[in-house]
Amino acid sequence: MKAQSRLFFYLLLTPFFLWLLLLVILPHIDMLGIALREQTAPRQYAFSFSNFSEFFKEPLYWRTFLRTAIMSIVATALTLLIAFPVSYYIAKMLRGRSKSLLFLLCLIPFWVSELVRTYGWMILLRETGVISNALQWLGLVSGPVELLYNDAAIMVGLVYTSMLFMVVPLVTVLESLSDDIIEASYDLGGNMWTTMKNIVIPHAMPGIVSGCIIVFMMTLGNYLTPNLLGGKDSLWFTEQIYTQFITRFNWELGSAFGILLLLLSSLIVWLGLKLTKQTLTSTMAS
Amino acid sequence: MTSTLIDLETRHVNKHYGDFTAVNNVSLKIEKGSFFSILGPSGCGKTTLLRMIAGFDEPDSGDILIQGDSMLGVPPNKRPANMVFQHLALFPMMSVAENVAYGLKQRKVQAAEITKRVNNALESVDLGDSGNKRISQLSGGQKQRIAIARCLVLEPKLLLLDEPLGALDLKLREHMKVELKQMQSRVGTTFIYITHDQSEALVMSNNIAVMNKGSFEQVGSPSDLYYHPETAFTAGFVGDANQWQASVSHIENGVCTAKVSDGLTLTGHINPNDALQTGDLVDVFVRPEAIKIIADHTSQNDQQSNQVDCIVIDLLFNGANSTALLKETISNKELHVALPQTGEYSGLQKGQTITIAWNPEQTHCFKVVS
């Protein structure tokens, strides 16, 4: 009986282990191997750190790297700032039908692919686009304005794309906060701000952190949105990786970049957890 | 009569939710330093009333005054009333001491003063050494005491309690009843306690308002409500009661004789508020402990003029609260009769036919309002 249940347990775990081994561990080990070699002659490779030193020697690479990290952090913070009131409204102010309706509205943009959504933004923002035309029609500007291909456009696209992934954990965690507790805070003399600061945000912390981790990782690893909305100037690190692998056919450098991006996201997530005194387990449980 | 301070007054308070009337024209005055309970079945509007006093809901009409000041438009954080929530609503993200300190911090009291008052408050509920504990480390009774200490540390004029004992197990609940009553008389703060549990209200309160369908049925001391109920609802809701419906055949000196069915007439006190006439339908109430079991059929007693024969269906042993379940032989009505554990009735058997009798003084008749 016991042996049988143990067998069952391992059978259930098998797909998970296969996924972990084949799709996560093996590719990364291989990528690390490629990153740590240098071509000395045709089909001749030697162990070397040259790909990593290349990264630090070329300012374009590490500047893009830093820029991507900072832009991603800003995008995450913006997403949180916008998503928190929305989530609070959905979770705490609304009841019944209007609640599920609004939640559904947050979901609707995700019925189409990210590509289509991004093209939607391009239709709005481009020189001949809706906003430019509207501004001209209103007489606010004399000629067409180009709103695409700048950092603000990238930011708008990134925040829009990430919204749902912040709203879902926040709504979940805020719904678990009993109304009594909020009322008790008011009853004891708290106002809106002190209640937010002392009660709601500490309670929502696991949700905030898990939402931020998801959004940050998605943004950092995003390729499509910065590329389409930022154009040639977008300078997103994933584009560098793409260039190395596809255009330059330099798999060694591309792999090194991939490893560096993995290290970067792990480092920032770790820092974020340390700063907010959360653990990965507690945030993922929320 | 000396003028007493009124801590809370409500004047013709109404609250509607759509077509539903939650609170209907409630007026009350609560004296300073009293323990006042609002007793009613769930859905009777007592929670709505309490939430309006606390400031979480605004009445549609009427006024609420705390020590003479109108509270209309005053938000909950500005009212001199604090609430102990049904599920206590302690802040799990804070330690015990931080919970108690929360209200003082909101008032910007100096840190040293906060520490002092928090320690005093914790001492006063015998939890002086629990300040650093997490809320989850406390037992049910301790949480209860912290929830009260968290309010009392603010020295409110009113302490509102929303069925806070509901979640406790029976033993602890019995214990907390006594403790709450003693705490109230020690601190002297006016307590307003809402509950659906009559024994909580009867044990703790100076005064009780019985609430039903949004309005007050009767306000009075626990013994008043118990011995002199003014409405059929109060008679049925407060304490246990056996109930018949009968039609009045004779009225004399505030006492009526009413016929339940052929061969069964009961005599009882008429509620002074009812203008009763011969032929009216009345609800007749008698408490289980007012009924005496007479073993001997023949011993007629003028005092105990209500007398019926019953068959013992079952004996429900419950220590001091043991009762006998009887079936009255004429109307087939099931009755509960208290069974004092004095050994006198130890010979009672299932299926036995006995005679029971009770005094018209302890029988209450209320006109049936159709």
Side-chain angles (χ1 to χ4, degrees), chain B residues 191-206:
Chain B
F191 277 35
I192 301 175
Y193 188 96
I194 69 167
T195 180
H196 63 271
D197 183 321
Q198 42 152 319
S199 108
E200 286 176 15
L202 292 174
V203 168
M204 294 190 282
S205 319
N206 303 111

Side-chain angles (χ1 to χ4, degrees), chain A residues 33-46:
Chain A
I34 296 175
L36 286 174
R37 71 186 190 186
E38 189 183 18
Q39 197 167 22
T40 49
R43 294 175 187 271
Q44 291 279 313
Y45 297 98

